[in-house]
Amino acid sequence: MTADMQTVLQKQRAAFTSAMPEPMSVRRDRMDRAIALLIDYKDVFAQAVSADFGHRSTEQTLMTDIMPSVSALKHAKKHFESWARNEKRKPTFPLGLIGAKADVVYQPKGVVGVIAPWNFPVGMVMVPMAGILAAGNRAMIKPSEYTERVAEVFAEAVPKYFAEEEMAVFTGGVEVGTAFSKLAFDHLIFTGATSVGKHIMRAAADNLVPVTLELGGKSPTIIGRSADKKKAGERIALGKMMNAGQICLAPDYLLVAKEQEQEMIDGVVNGVSTLYPSLLNNDDYTSVVNGRNYDRLQGYLADAKEKGAELIEVNPANEDFGSSNGNKMPLTIVRNVNDDMKVMQEEIFGPILPVMTYSSMDEAIDYVNAHDRPLGLYYFGNDKAEEQRVLTRTISGGATVNDVIFHNAMEDLPFGGIGPSGMGNYHGADGFKTFSHMRAVYRQPAMDVAGMAGFKPPYGKSTHKTLERELRK
């Protein structure tokens, strides 16, 4: 398999080099084919996702995987030609006056590797693909081994729409993923856990491959005293219960004023009950992806309880989860948490919602700043000064005000993390730039600029004049 991957990489790079410069119509055609693949295979993908998860509704996969991918590709198709135009820059004074010209030229990088996660196994391949194809690159894809049916669909579908020199898929377990991450791509994008991201970066370093890492972490949700708790509760419930909380941007924990804790918990409970009157027998509610992750989440709850936390199970229809042979879990709200508990140390990635309290907003802000910079940060409230304080005194990959996750749905906003939550951005024009090389091109005028400026030896009067002028305070 390693040899096959290396062969395909060489094949793609050779095809890329021989086709330079490709007309924009080729990029447009590739994006059209990617859209066609998604729409033609949408139901097949939805069935494969559900089979891999144990259960996930067709509607959710269409909304969270297929639709965002199609939207990203359509957006890129509409704008990529304007993104690709050369950008004029000003030559250093006075060179512009005597005919010098400076431009930034956006060139495709070549072959981009895509390592995708299991939580949105179609979207996390095809949303970044919009920027990859719009920028004029070829792509090699490694889907997650945890969603092997989805990986098989990719392996079957991609060759029907793309030549191997344009796009290729490699399936398999950890050993395939490890070998894939060591290839000398022109760029590599990885979406997944921070712990795995460190290994990806080490592997890429051997070939000096530039990386975009979309990781995760603990995205805080700060509830201001001025927030509408009922509305906030429903929006938090929607973001936390979607995909059973298996979202890198899911609200990981709440920070709420001490005296409003119960009101906020009630708001979340009511939100869950409204959206999901039942859970176990509800097609709209997704299963935890596998037994390993189910056990991990149950371990967090056991650890929290043992260390003094109060567990509030949100089970609107009082269903018997214990007798189920699947991996569905109700939402559990966890009160009285502290940093000694695993639930406050690890990214949860499931239907568990810790609640912390604060006395002052500065205390909440200080707590966020004392921990790793998160992928997302959410603020609920109607106090504009407080909102501004939260946004200017914290740093996160992105932020949504009076809702959760939605900044990621804006194709014209960059999506990415900072520090342990990731590096680099994609979506829209920012994705185009990520997957492009910004080449500086300078055109020197006919006259002897170096001589005029005193840059050529023997150094003399014009040299000293230049130095005297430029080295003033």
Side-chain angles (χ1 to χ4, degrees):
M1 178 61 83
T2 307
D4 290 348
M5 288 191 287
Q6 186 60 49
T7 302
V8 172
L9 175 59
Q10 289 168 349
K11 212 174 186 182
Q12 288 202 358
R13 187 166 287 130
F16 170 81
T17 304
S18 65
M20 290 172 62
E22 281 185 327
M24 290 293 166
S25 58
V26 174
R27 301 187 192 186
R28 184 180 297 280
D29 175 57
R30 287 184 186 135
M31 286 186 274
D32 280 334
R33 282 184 274 147
I35 291 167
L37 185 160
L38 286 160
I39 292 173
D40 293 348
Y41 273 80
K42 65 183 189 299
D43 294 324
V44 180
F45 273 127
Q47 288 161 12
V49 171
S50 188
D52 281 330
F53 269 72
H55 173 72
R56 194 167 94 171
S57 73
T58 294
E59 291 85 353
Q60 195 201 299
T61 296
L62 295 182
M63 276 193 300
T64 60
D65 280 75
I66 306 298
M67 192 171 75
S69 301
V70 170
S71 296
L73 284 155
K74 285 181 176 177
H75 180 82
K77 204 173 78 161
K78 184 177 178 182
H79 297 287
F80 80 104
E81 289 185 81
S82 64
W83 297 339
R85 285 191 198 117
N86 292 0
E87 202 177 297
K88 290 196 183 305
R89 298 286 176 94
K90 285 188 177 178
T92 306
F93 179 84
L95 298 175
L97 301 178
I98 53 178
K101 289 184 178 164
D103 295 273
V104 173
V105 177
Y106 290 98
Q107 292 187 302
K109 286 187 170 180
V111 181
V112 178
V114 181
I115 302 179
W118 53 262
N119 61 328
F120 294 111
V122 184
M124 294 298 91
V125 171
M126 298 307 289
V127 172
M129 196 62 69
I132 292 166
L133 297 180
N137 299 291
R138 314 294 168 114
M140 290 171 62
I141 301 163
K142 169 60 180 73
S144 172
E145 62 271 22
Y146 289 119
T147 44
E148 58 181 319
R149 292 171 186 85
V150 173
E152 286 163 10
V153 175
F154 268 119
E156 174 199 323
V158 166
K160 293 180 181 177
Y161 296 79
F162 293 93
E164 192 177 53
E165 296 80 28
E166 297 175 298
M167 191 185 293
V169 178
F170 299 89
T171 62
V174 176
E175 67 292 340
V176 175
T178 301
F180 189 90
S181 68
K182 291 177 179 176
L183 293 172
F185 295 112
D186 299 296
H187 195 101
L188 176 63
I189 178 168
F190 166 80
T191 306
T194 301
S195 56
V196 182
K198 292 176 182 177
H199 295 296
I200 298 293
M201 200 168 176
R202 280 191 204 102
D206 285 340
N207 291 305
L208 295 177
V209 174
V211 293
T212 298
L213 301 178
E214 298 302 339
L215 309 176
K218 300 187 74 61
S219 295
T221 304
I222 301 173
I223 315 296
R225 285 182 166 90
S226 63
D228 179 331
K229 310 301 183 296
K230 183 173 184 293
K231 192 179 284 183
E234 184 162 308
R235 291 176 180 182
I236 290 162
L238 177 61
K240 189 66 180 181
M241 299 296 278
M242 181 188 291
N243 211 35
Q246 298 166 115
I247 306 176
C248 57
L249 276 169
D252 194 275
Y253 64 95
L254 303 190
L255 280 161
V256 59
K258 200 180 289 268
E259 74 277 8
Q260 296 183 341
E261 181 186 20
Q262 189 58 55
E263 186 187 359
M264 191 62 245
I265 289 172
D266 291 343
V268 174
V269 171
N270 290 336
V272 173
S273 303
T274 302
L275 297 167
Y276 300 94
S278 67
L279 296 168
L280 196 56
N281 298 310
N282 186 341
D283 282 348
D284 292 342
Y285 187 57
T286 301
S287 171
V288 171
V289 69
N290 54 33
R292 177 182 161 190
N293 277 278
Y294 179 88
D295 292 343
R296 174 182 62 82
L297 293 165
Q298 293 295 337
Y300 289 167
L301 293 176
D303 173 77
K305 189 174 183 181
E306 188 185 314
K307 291 172 181 171
E310 177 191 351
L311 307 185
I312 303 165
E313 187 179 277
V314 186
N315 184 356
N318 293 313
E319 293 163 293
D320 182 7
F321 281 82
S323 66
S324 164
N325 61 359
N327 292 317
K328 274 193 176 184
M329 271 180 72
L331 176 69
T332 302
I333 295 171
V334 188
R335 290 177 79 166
N336 304 325
V337 294
N338 59 57
D339 282 0
D340 292 334
M341 298 172 183
K342 287 178 184 171
V343 79
M344 291 308 297
Q345 295 169 354
E346 308 284 340
E347 182 179 4
I348 292 169
F349 226 69
I352 299 173
L353 184 62
V355 181
M356 298 197 83
T357 60
Y358 64 81
S359 300
S360 69
M361 184 53 71
D362 284 343
E363 188 186 332
I365 289 168
D366 288 345
Y367 182 83
V368 172
N369 286 336
H371 294 78
D372 287 344
R373 288 172 174 169
L375 185 59
L377 180 142
Y378 310 118
Y379 169 77
F380 285 85
N382 298 305
D383 181 335
K384 288 295 174 188
E386 183 178 80
E387 173 193 316
Q388 195 60 13
R389 196 152 93 252
V390 169
L391 292 177
T392 55
R393 290 200 54 223
T394 59
I395 295 176
S396 64
T400 294
V401 174
N402 285 321
D403 211 329
V404 297
I405 299 174
F406 268 90
H407 65 277
N408 178 43
M410 303 300 111
E411 192 56 29
D412 228 12
L413 284 177
F415 173 62
I418 179 168
S421 61
M423 62 176 68
N425 292 289
Y426 65 101
H427 283 200
D430 301 283
F432 175 87
K433 286 182 179 176
T434 288
F435 300 115
S436 296
H437 168 57
M438 294 172 66
R439 187 186 203 182
V441 178
Y442 173 72
R443 291 180 175 85
Q444 191 72 287
M447 33 182 95
D448 183 8
V449 173
M452 290 165 61
F455 293 161
K456 289 160 72 172
Y459 301 129
K461 192 175 177 182
S462 55
T463 307
H464 297 143
K465 199 171 175 183
T466 297
L467 289 170
E468 189 182 334
R469 185 183 68 244
E470 297 299 325
L471 298 181
R472 285 183 191 141
K473 285 186 181 175

